[in-house]
Amino acid sequence: MANKEVTIKDVAKLAECSPTTVSRVINNSDHPVSKDTAEKVEAAIEKLNFSPNRIAQGLKSDKSNIIGVIVHDICDSYFAQMVKGIEEFISGHEYIVNIYNTSRSVEKELYAVSMLKANRADAVVFAGGALMDKEYEKKMYSIVEQLKGQGTVLLGVTPHPFDINNISLGNKKAAAIIADYLVENGHRKIAFIDGPEKLYTSYLRREGLKESLLKHDLDLEDELIFPGDFSFEGGRKAALKLLDKIDEITAVVGANDATALGLIWELNNQGIKVPSDISVVGIDDLPEAKYSYPPLTTISLPIHQLGTNIGKYLLESLTSDQITDLINIEMQLIKRKSVKKLG
Amino acid sequence: MANKEVTIKDVAKLAECSPTTVSRVINNSDHPVSKDTAEKVEAAIEKLNFSPNRIAQGLKSDKSNIIGVIVHDICDSYFAQMVKGIEEFISGHEYIVNIYNTSRSVEKELYAVSMLKANRADAVVFAGGALMDKEYEKKMYSIVEQLKGQGTVLLGVTPHPFDINNISLGNKKAAAIIADYLVENGHRKIAFIDGPEKLYTSYLRREGLKESLLKHDLDLEDELIFPGDFSFEGGRKAALKLLDKIDEITAVVGANDATALGLIWELNNQGIKVPSDISVVGIDDLPEAKYSYPPLTTISLPIHQLGTNIGKYLLESLTSDQITDLINIEMQLIKRKSVKKLG
DNA sequence: TTGTAAGCGTTATCAC
DNA sequence: GTGATAACGCTTACAA
């Protein structure tokens, strides 16, 4: 910007009419405009390469056309998929998709939300899971309420500790399905590579596994829960720590696919065969999950489709008055080659 | 938005002063304000949870605080890295990072740019390579000129066919380094898996390889150039086509890492050993390149750092008057295990 | 069918 | 130190 901008006035002057008329033309207003003037206006717009200043329109209409998307890490395939889905749907409808990477830092989450508030975002998607942190909960609660006061459409993926519409991803259920499947295949001693410590999603997946195992009278022992961080590297490191207990266990569940993939890689690297020596399962079904050695058995959460659903939901909430459908995500156990059936 | 927004007037009323004074406080203006009133204003801001409407500020100051980033596909690790780098730097400075996925479609590229124009973006990064397409060149040229007229800061990664500041990634040089290395290792018959057809980056990498091979009196034969699309899947498909010629060639260059990785995977899958049966090289050095079987020899382009450099450059161009440094990217041959030294 | 004027929330200019 | 007022580019009553 900064330089000289073509405004509605310039168009009006060239078309020899008032700015009002120009406005009516560009907005296809139902207020009548004679064909003659309309054509003159169109011609002027064309000639001047005019496009209405959406900032100004936004100020007037009390809409920013900004949709904030808060993720933990766009380099994580999981988030990239989701963001892409959202963007596909939303950005084609003249919205600005504004992303924030927070690295699961409380500070950055708060920063993102305050920016979004200051920019009067029309909608905000909390695409990353909630943080289990007192400060996060308290301050987020407050600012989210302010956002609501502004009329912002809010949507969370997985539960969040403030009062917004949350899409359930069925994290507990996913882990439960895995537990059942593993037990069904004769596994009794199962280890778990955890997700990020403060992340609620980690908690849900861990507890889901624990609870379901308990139903089979099995324990997820504390010393078989290894720390992780939802990353490939985290999975690799966990594999190294797992080595000590490798003879005690027959299967490992990674808190997500990235973890499971890193796990498999390092296990292979250490000469341990998957699944003959040990079985591995993940959650997410990332595109790369089918290309590991062996291909990863996992739970598919259709993340990209979730993204487009989110986009659709937002668009409906923002523009139409009809009640929008709930968003349902169907998960599915994808049986590939990383689990062995035990005698 | 839509509901009731807290404005500077509300703050003024509560602090018993004029909006002007409030404005001076929130902007740390050098215009004097008594300590007393300043405190009352601060208190009122606190109490009302006021944050200035950046849309309105933008209208006034002729700045949108929007930085557009146009990529081909955010799910592509290459772009995810770059966007993350840009976002890290930029978004912390109160800018809105607005991304567009264009899937290398002329239409979507144009759409993105016109949106960015309408939103009076302060800066636009053409993060994806240029398309080799007449319509793209012509229409882009026109709208880019309009953007320039608005004072938008423009930056291209790799050359673009319109007059903007472009960062050279050294695509030709990267391919040349690979050619030299392969020849040095005794390879004479080399195949190439191409990138997307209309993409200028593909052209550069292909020509770089061709030219450098020629210096060694070697030919990159047309029938040894296989189509690809910069994706893992594309690499896999190419591997299948390559099978026919497998006995003629000793090495394959993937136009990027994703391609090379897909190639290696499918080659393994077909029982062909890398590098003992055939050598494979990529370009980019994605994080995942070191985890293939065998780890991929490639050229490292520090994409994430490039992203932060871009962020820095934009910020400087936008805010400071001092001349900004050029952005230099150092490439490097990363020798891993996918190339065999021939007799 | 067209146009005038007020106002969206902010800030720069110019008084006082 | 403080505050009216106009203006940014646009839209929306309200007139004509």
Side-chain angles (χ1 to χ4, degrees):
Chain A
M1 315 197 46
N3 284 24
K4 59 264 156 163
E5 165 169 2
V6 180
T7 78
I8 206 172
K9 284 184 195 165
D10 301 317
V11 177
K13 200 171 293 173
L14 186 59
E16 296 173 310
C17 67
S18 73
T20 307
T21 305
V22 178
S23 172
R24 297 206 251 255
V25 173
I26 60 185
N27 293 307
N28 295 314
S29 152
D30 22 344
H31 192 105
V33 176
S34 82
K35 209 173 172 194
D36 239 39
T37 24
E39 274 167 10
K40 265 162 63 178
V41 169
E42 299 285 12
I45 289 175
E46 181 85 1
K47 178 152 188 191
L48 299 174
N49 286 314
F50 169 76
S51 51
N53 184 331
R54 307 210 90 222
I55 304 277
Q57 289 182 318
L59 182 60
K60 192 76 190 100
S61 63
D62 208 17
K63 289 181 82 268
S64 62
N65 300 305
I66 292 172
I67 293 190
V69 181
I70 303 176
V71 300
H72 293 321
D73 178 8
I74 192 67
C75 288
D76 183 331
S77 197
Y78 171 94
F79 289 114
Q81 300 270 329
M82 189 165 9
V83 168
K84 189 179 177 185
I86 297 174
E87 195 269 344
E88 268 177 24
F89 214 96
I90 276 304
S91 130
H93 292 265
E94 315 233 309
Y95 280 95
I96 291 170
V97 177
N98 177 19
I99 66 159
Y100 292 88
N101 288 301
T102 66
S103 312
R104 304 188 177 91
S105 129
V106 173
E107 198 185 22
K108 287 190 183 170
E109 293 266 339
L110 286 168
Y111 174 78
V113 187
S114 65
M115 281 290 292
L116 259 3
K117 185 199 166 198
N119 283 297
R120 306 299 189 264
D122 291 341
V124 174
V125 183
F126 296 86
L131 269 24
M132 298 194 300
D133 177 288
K134 281 291 160 231
E135 191 198 352
Y136 171 85
E137 288 185 23
K138 198 177 131 199
K139 294 200 176 161
M140 277 302 230
Y141 181 86
S142 159
I143 198 160
V144 163
E145 286 301 315
Q146 296 166 35
L147 243 12
K148 283 205 264 182
Q150 284 182 183
T152 306
V153 173
L154 267 2
L155 183 63
V157 178
T158 74
H160 284 76
F162 23 90
D163 181 29
I164 61 175
N165 196 353
N166 286 302
I167 302 172
S168 169
L169 232 47
N171 281 306
K172 270 198 175 186
K173 189 177 162 204
I177 292 174
I178 290 172
D180 290 347
Y181 178 66
L182 251 19
V183 171
E184 192 181 299
N185 279 272
H187 296 273
R188 293 289 173 269
K189 272 287 212 179
I190 296 168
F192 179 67
I193 316 299
D194 214 340
E197 201 187 343
K198 290 191 307 186
L199 193 66
Y200 192 52
T201 308
S202 312
Y203 168 82
L204 289 172
R205 294 185 176 182
R206 188 176 58 243
E207 290 307 304
L209 189 64
K210 211 176 255 181
E211 287 170 14
S212 187
L213 250 19
L214 217 52
K215 283 189 192 146
H216 297 283
D217 292 320
L218 259 26
D219 241 22
L220 176 58
E221 297 168 29
D222 279 348
E223 63 267 32
L224 292 185
I225 299 178
F226 297 85
D229 60 2
F230 269 3
S231 78
F232 188 98
E233 286 297 338
R236 279 190 54 212
K237 282 179 197 148
L240 263 13
K241 290 198 187 132
L242 198 73
L243 252 32
D244 289 343
K245 314 257 182 184
I246 200 84
D247 294 327
E248 301 177 28
I249 60 188
T250 63
V252 197
V253 178
N256 71 349
D257 276 6
T259 300
L261 260 12
L263 199 61
I264 289 185
W265 191 93
E266 189 60 48
L267 254 17
N268 273 326
N269 193 37
Q270 298 293 330
I272 293 160
K273 297 277 171 263
V274 177
S276 52
D277 294 337
I278 191 166
S279 296
V280 176
V281 191
I283 299 177
D284 284 346
D285 195 26
L286 298 183
E288 50 264 45
K290 60 171 175 289
Y291 297 125
S292 57
Y293 304 85
L296 182 67
T297 290
T298 185
I299 299 281
S300 93
L301 303 175
I303 300 302
H304 178 259
Q305 188 209 321
L306 171 64
T308 53
N309 280 358
I310 291 175
K312 184 152 171 276
Y313 170 88
L314 294 181
L315 216 59
E316 287 178 7
S317 311
L318 252 20
T319 60
S320 87
D321 31 21
Q322 82 184 73
I323 297 154
T324 60
D325 302 15
L326 291 173
I327 298 172
N328 274 314
I329 290 304
E330 283 172 27
M331 72 178 67
Q332 207 182 335
L333 177 66
I334 308 291
K335 297 177 195 173
R336 288 198 271 246
K337 306 282 182 190
S338 63
V339 173
K340 182 185 175 186
K341 191 169 177 66
L342 261 34
Chain B
M1 317 201 37
N3 284 25
K4 59 263 157 163
E5 165 168 3
V6 180
T7 80
I8 206 170
K9 285 182 194 167
D10 301 317
V11 177
K13 199 171 295 173
L14 186 59
E16 297 174 307
C17 66
S18 72
T20 307
T21 304
V22 177
S23 173
R24 295 206 252 256
V25 173
I26 61 185
N27 294 305
N28 294 314
S29 151
D30 23 346
H31 192 106
V33 175
S34 82
K35 209 172 172 194
D36 239 40
T37 26
E39 274 166 10
K40 264 160 67 179
V41 169
E42 298 285 12
I45 289 175
E46 181 85 1
K47 181 156 187 189
L48 298 174
N49 285 315
F50 168 76
S51 51
N53 183 331
R54 305 210 91 223
I55 303 276
Q57 290 181 319
L59 180 61
K60 193 78 187 92
S61 64
D62 207 17
K63 288 181 84 266
S64 63
N65 299 306
I66 292 172
I67 293 190
V69 181
I70 303 176
V71 299
H72 293 322
D73 178 7
I74 192 69
C75 289
D76 182 333
S77 196
Y78 171 94
F79 289 115
Q81 301 269 329
M82 193 169 1
V83 168
K84 189 179 177 186
I86 297 174
E87 196 268 346
E88 269 178 23
F89 214 95
I90 276 304
S91 131
H93 291 265
E94 314 234 310
Y95 279 94
I96 291 170
V97 177
N98 177 18
I99 66 159
Y100 292 87
N101 288 300
T102 66
S103 312
R104 305 192 176 89
S105 131
V106 173
E107 198 183 24
K108 287 191 184 171
E109 293 264 341
L110 286 167
Y111 174 79
V113 187
S114 65
M115 281 290 291
L116 259 1
K117 186 200 166 197
N119 283 297
R120 306 300 190 263
D122 291 340
V124 175
V125 184
F126 296 86
L131 268 26
M132 297 195 302
D133 178 286
K134 282 291 161 232
E135 191 198 352
Y136 172 84
E137 288 186 21
K138 198 177 132 199
K139 295 199 176 163
M140 276 302 228
Y141 181 86
S142 158
I143 197 161
V144 163
E145 287 302 314
Q146 296 166 35
L147 243 12
K148 283 205 265 183
Q150 284 182 183
T152 306
V153 173
L154 267 2
L155 183 63
V157 178
T158 75
H160 284 76
F162 22 90
D163 182 29
I164 61 174
N165 195 355
N166 286 302
I167 301 173
S168 169
L169 233 47
N171 280 306
K172 271 198 174 186
K173 188 178 162 201
I177 292 174
I178 290 173
D180 291 347
Y181 177 66
L182 251 19
V183 171
E184 191 182 302
N185 278 273
H187 295 274
R188 294 288 173 271
K189 272 287 210 178
I190 297 167
F192 180 67
I193 316 300
D194 213 342
E197 201 186 342
K198 289 191 306 186
L199 193 66
Y200 191 51
T201 308
S202 312
Y203 168 81
L204 289 172
R205 293 183 177 184
R206 187 175 60 244
E207 289 308 303
L209 188 63
K210 209 175 256 182
E211 288 171 14
S212 187
L213 249 19
L214 218 51
K215 284 192 190 144
H216 297 284
D217 293 319
L218 258 28
D219 240 21
L220 176 59
E221 295 168 29
D222 279 347
E223 63 267 33
L224 292 184
I225 299 177
F226 297 84
D229 60 2
F230 269 4
S231 78
F232 189 97
E233 285 299 337
R236 279 190 55 212
K237 282 177 197 152
L240 263 12
K241 292 198 186 133
L242 198 73
L243 253 32
D244 288 343
K245 314 257 183 185
I246 201 84
D247 295 328
E248 301 178 27
I249 59 187
T250 62
V252 196
V253 178
N256 70 349
D257 276 7
T259 301
L261 260 13
L263 200 59
I264 288 185
W265 191 91
E266 189 61 47
L267 254 16
N268 273 326
N269 193 38
Q270 299 292 330
I272 293 161
K273 297 278 172 260
V274 177
S276 53
D277 294 338
I278 191 166
S279 296
V280 176
V281 191
I283 299 178
D284 283 347
D285 195 27
L286 298 184
E288 50 264 47
K290 58 172 176 289
Y291 296 124
S292 59
Y293 304 84
L296 181 66
T297 291
T298 184
I299 300 280
S300 93
L301 303 175
I303 300 302
H304 177 260
Q305 188 209 323
L306 171 65
T308 54
N309 282 357
I310 291 175
K312 186 153 170 273
Y313 170 88
L314 295 179
L315 216 58
E316 287 178 6
S317 310
L318 253 21
T319 61
S320 87
D321 31 22
Q322 80 184 74
I323 298 154
T324 60
D325 302 15
L326 292 173
I327 298 172
N328 274 311
I329 290 303
E330 283 172 27
M331 73 178 65
Q332 207 182 335
L333 177 66
I334 308 291
K335 297 178 194 173
R336 288 199 271 246
K337 306 283 182 189
S338 63
V339 173
K340 180 186 176 187
K341 190 169 179 67
L342 259 36

